[in-house]
Amino acid sequence: MRFSERFTLLFGALAICLAVLLTWTTTSVIDRAVEGRARERLEREADLLAAQIAAGPADLARIDSLIRLASKSLGVRATVIAPDGVVVDDSDVAPADIHKLENHGTRPEVVQAHSSRYGFSIRHSATLGFDLFYLARPLPAGKGFLRLAIPYSQLRHLESKYDWLAGGTIFLACALLFTIGSVAGRALTGPIRDVAEAALAVSRGDLEREPPAEGPREIVELSSAIRQMKTSLLDAAERAEAERRLADTVFQTLPDGVAVVDRHWKILDANPAFGRLLNSEAQAGRSLGDVLRDRELFDPFERAVQQQRPVEQTVERPDERTWIISAHPLSGVGGAAAVGIIHDVTEMRRNESLRRRFVADVSHELRTPIASILAASETLAGLDPSDPEVPHLVEVVQRQARRTQELIEDLTDLSLIESGLVPLELQPVDLRKLAEEVAADYQPAARERSIAIEVGGQDGVSATGDPRRVGQILRNLVDNAIKFSPDGAVVTIDFEQEGPDVVLSVRDAGVGIAPKEHDRIFQRFYQVDRSRSKSRPGTGLGLAIVKHLANLHGATVTVESAPGAGSRFSVRFPAQRR
Ligand code: ADP
């Protein structure tokens, strides 16, 4: 039931109760007033009549005419009763019938009149069929009692108009009370209803709806509480939305493939990486089996759901990629049965194997010179200092120690360059100047083998780079060119503008390299044939350093060579870096 209806009902009940109470009170007040007035009147009339009766002789005819006159003029019934209760005379009864009247000695008013001045009673007259007021008083000198009676209706008639007036007033007052009550109820519950409706609208998600801002203080307080609730609801919704968006972005951009499936193996959600890795459309609703197309891939999902525990499995793909598939059971989460993650670890495994190979290579490369040093020094230890073998063995120790040193320096350099810890100080590098410096540095070594180093190229060609590092590239290439050239050959350093690019190259007429080796020679420690070096053996790291340094500059290194036809190594610096 609505609050306003309760108010109306309450005030209705209140109005009815009040009407009953007021009517009862008013009626009894009027009744009492009528009674009082009737009594007073009858007392005065009885006093007067008794005085008249006592003033003359006790002649029955005189008394009879007196009481009949009084009865007529006063509208009352007068009865004269002897002290023993016998009715002596009655204004309404013919004298001949008086003896038929029963003894009045036991009438309450007569009994009362024995002990007090007046006796009074209201009784229903069976003879007349209506209520009567009786008042009795003793007659002077113990001559009995005078009783006056008057019909109650006669007295009440006068007051009836007051009854109507009082009744009307009570009705109007109660109706007014009821109206005020229900209007007040409505006025009071109106704002409550507005607040309730606003709260309901907010709970249904209509966040635009504002609760009333005006009205009684309690309503304003309630409205402000709802407004605060709405604000925190909005904040919470915003936060939840931001978190959902974040989770979605992470899900969408995750490099690992993620798919959630239900217990019928239908995909509920899958991120783009999942489809990309499987080279298939992995949209929601599709069967997981159709998307995976491989029993081995499906197996972890199946086991995770069957055994209700996470399952992880490494899978080697036919295209030599390695995946780790982990499937987790998801019981009771939005109908999801499992979530599977495909993590592509190919690169990681490749790096691990490269690292292992690198360690093996380094140990291998270091083992040879150190073994030579050890062998030579052990032999030396047993020889007499004047032994003719001593200088040779000392030279072996020195050479191998130098080689070890070079190896360690190259390795340190390479690892620094590879890890990006070499800061480049980029600036225009005058290639002619650089080439002439490098040629001059290598002149002594070249001259030993009658090799000529020529600097060709155009004037004014410059590349943007770190002069020290571009110099290191050029030194490595010139060093190789000399190393793999026959005595008396020519090594040429060239640099030219080719369209927007600048190309720096080193050409020799040495042993050359078979095309199938062209890629491998840039790998660490790779050497085509150690015995080919015309001078000292290398470390196999020079070209790897060249390649990494060139890449740091955004440049590319290429080789043109064939066995017996010499080689040309070119470094192309792209335009945008210049
Ligand atoms: P190394 O220290 O052996 O020179 P590099 O990494 O500089 O190591 O070169 C790798 C291999 O490439 C060499 O061992 C050699 O076989 C081959 N190579 C490099 N430069 C030349 C060249 N100019 N002529 C012929 N072969 C070369």
Side-chain angles (χ1 to χ4, degrees):
M1 194 190 281
R2 282 177 176 277
F3 205 45
S4 60
E5 288 167 357
R6 284 185 188 208
F7 248 83
T8 310
L9 217 68
L10 182 74
F11 273 84
L14 211 65
I16 290 169
C17 290
L18 204 67
V20 169
L21 189 74
L22 284 178
T23 309
W24 179 78
T25 316
T26 316
T27 314
S28 55
V29 165
I30 291 174
D31 282 351
R32 220 158 282 165
V34 167
E35 226 176 272
R37 220 160 36 81
R39 203 173 159 152
E40 213 176 289
R41 176 190 151 190
L42 289 178
E43 277 172 14
R44 274 200 312 272
E45 288 171 359
D47 286 352
L48 192 67
L49 193 58
Q52 282 180 350
I53 291 169
D59 176 2
L60 195 59
R62 188 183 69 89
I63 292 171
D64 188 58
S65 73
L66 261 179
I67 63 168
R68 282 184 198 278
L69 183 69
S71 165
K72 206 166 165 197
S73 55
L74 298 174
V76 295
R77 176 184 171 190
T79 313
V80 178
I81 303 159
D84 58 0
V86 173
V87 178
V88 178
D89 197 5
D90 193 301
S91 61
D92 289 13
V93 181
D97 295 332
I98 291 294
H99 68 278
K100 291 180 190 167
L101 293 174
E102 49 184 75
N103 190 299
H104 275 30
T106 56
R107 295 290 197 272
E109 62 277 7
V110 177
V111 174
Q112 272 179 45
H114 273 286
S115 53
S116 63
R117 202 170 162 198
Y118 302 104
F120 184 76
S121 98
I122 301 170
R123 276 200 316 281
H124 187 77
S125 161
T127 330
L128 301 171
F130 49 77
D131 286 348
L132 282 168
F133 270 56
Y134 295 98
L135 180 115
R137 63 150 290 163
L139 284 169
K143 287 180 183 161
F145 300 94
L146 171 66
R147 190 185 76 168
L148 298 183
I150 188 167
Y152 183 77
S153 58
Q154 194 185 320
L155 293 166
R156 209 65 183 79
H157 178 71
L158 285 171
E159 272 74 23
S160 65
K161 67 170 188 274
Y162 298 120
D163 280 351
W164 280 108
L165 196 65
T169 311
I170 288 168
F171 175 77
L172 278 179
C174 291
L176 196 66
L177 178 74
F178 173 72
T179 314
I180 290 173
S182 58
V183 168
R186 235 173 270 271
L188 198 70
T189 56
I192 295 177
R193 203 174 44 243
D194 289 350
V195 174
E197 276 171 11
L200 260 174
V202 170
S203 76
R204 273 193 228 105
D206 176 9
L207 297 175
E208 296 300 307
R209 182 72 179 264
E210 283 291 335
E214 284 169 5
R217 212 179 71 202
E218 289 82 356
I219 298 294
V220 173
E221 280 172 6
L222 192 61
S223 292
S224 120
I226 289 174
R227 218 168 289 124
Q228 275 172 16
M229 261 163 57
K230 200 179 84 171
T231 313
S232 31
L233 214 65
L234 274 172
D235 284 353
E238 234 166 68
R239 266 201 309 278
E241 175 60 17
E243 278 167 18
R244 194 197 60 73
R245 269 206 300 270
L246 180 69
D248 195 51
T249 310
V250 170
F251 187 65
Q252 295 298 323
T253 54
L254 208 63
D256 292 345
V258 184
V260 183
V261 290
D262 67 10
R263 59 196 177 88
H264 304 295
W265 305 115
K266 286 259 175 300
I267 293 179
L268 295 176
D269 203 358
N271 70 347
F274 193 79
R276 210 166 42 237
L277 284 168
L278 290 158
N279 209 7
S280 172
E281 297 276 313
Q283 71 268 52
R286 273 197 78 184
S287 153
L288 181 69
D290 292 349
V291 175
L292 296 177
R293 293 187 298 249
D294 190 337
R295 183 70 227 174
E296 198 185 4
L297 301 179
F298 188 71
D299 189 54
F301 283 86
E302 198 171 50
R303 278 194 289 140
V305 172
Q306 273 171 5
Q307 300 166 9
Q308 282 298 299
R309 62 172 185 84
V311 172
E312 194 170 285
Q313 190 167 314
T314 305
V315 178
E316 298 291 340
R317 302 295 295 149
D319 58 359
E320 292 186 352
R321 300 199 74 79
T322 310
W323 290 352
I324 292 178
I325 299 184
S326 50
H328 302 254
L330 292 175
S331 42
V333 187
V339 57
I341 302 157
I342 299 180
H343 185 43
D344 188 342
V345 291
T346 315
E347 215 50 45
M348 202 176 79
R349 292 279 157 97
R350 194 172 288 155
N351 287 341
E352 275 170 13
S353 109
L354 281 177
R355 206 166 40 243
R356 273 199 298 276
R357 224 180 70 202
F358 176 71
V359 172
D361 286 346
V362 171
S363 337
H364 176 78
E365 290 302 319
L366 286 174
R367 200 176 297 130
T368 317
I370 287 172
S372 303
I373 292 168
L374 214 60
S377 54
E378 275 168 5
T379 317
L380 267 175
L383 286 181
D384 189 89
S386 57
D387 195 298
E389 270 298 296
V390 170
H392 167 68
L393 288 171
V394 169
E395 197 259 313
V396 168
V397 170
Q398 282 176 339
R399 186 156 34 86
Q400 295 299 349
R402 236 188 335 265
R403 182 169 152 66
T404 310
Q405 190 186 24
E406 275 172 20
L407 201 66
I408 290 167
E409 276 170 6
D410 277 0
L411 268 174
T412 314
D413 222 16
L414 185 64
S415 84
L416 280 178
I417 295 165
E418 271 185 341
S419 57
L421 290 174
V422 175
L424 292 185
E425 286 171 27
L426 295 178
Q427 53 186 269
V429 182
D430 183 339
L431 294 181
R432 173 167 299 283
K433 198 167 152 247
L434 183 77
E436 281 171 353
E437 273 172 22
V438 172
D441 289 349
Y442 277 90
Q443 219 47 261
R447 206 174 296 128
E448 266 179 29
R449 295 181 42 224
S450 314
I451 290 174
I453 304 175
E454 289 180 357
V455 176
Q458 306 156 340
D459 277 342
V461 177
S462 65
T464 301
D466 185 321
R468 196 168 91 87
R469 297 297 173 181
V470 179
Q472 195 177 357
I473 292 175
L474 193 56
R475 275 191 181 82
N476 270 304
L477 294 178
V478 170
D479 188 65
N480 278 350
I482 296 171
K483 251 190 331 194
F484 298 103
S485 286
D487 291 353
V490 177
V491 169
T492 312
I493 305 175
D494 250 326
F495 36 88
E496 56 202 350
Q497 190 79 46
E498 273 190 27
D501 302 342
V502 165
V503 180
L504 170 67
S505 63
V506 177
R507 192 154 30 93
D508 66 64
V511 291
I513 311 157
K516 68 176 168 66
E517 309 282 8
H518 286 187
D519 280 342
R520 293 193 221 157
I521 54 173
F522 292 100
Q523 291 171 8
R524 279 183 298 218
F525 298 116
Y526 190 81
Q527 292 174 303
V528 177
D529 175 5
R530 285 181 185 219
S531 61
R532 298 192 323 161
S533 167
K534 298 291 171 198
S535 46
R536 63 198 163 76
T539 59
L541 294 172
L543 286 181
I545 292 174
V546 166
K547 188 179 161 194
H548 277 100
L549 279 178
N551 288 350
L552 273 186
H553 283 83
T556 49
V557 192
T558 50
V559 57
E560 300 153 69
S561 179
S567 311
R568 183 175 191 246
F569 285 85
S570 309
V571 185
R572 180 177 290 270
F573 293 88
Q576 60 266 34
R577 291 295 285 246
R578 293 163 54 231

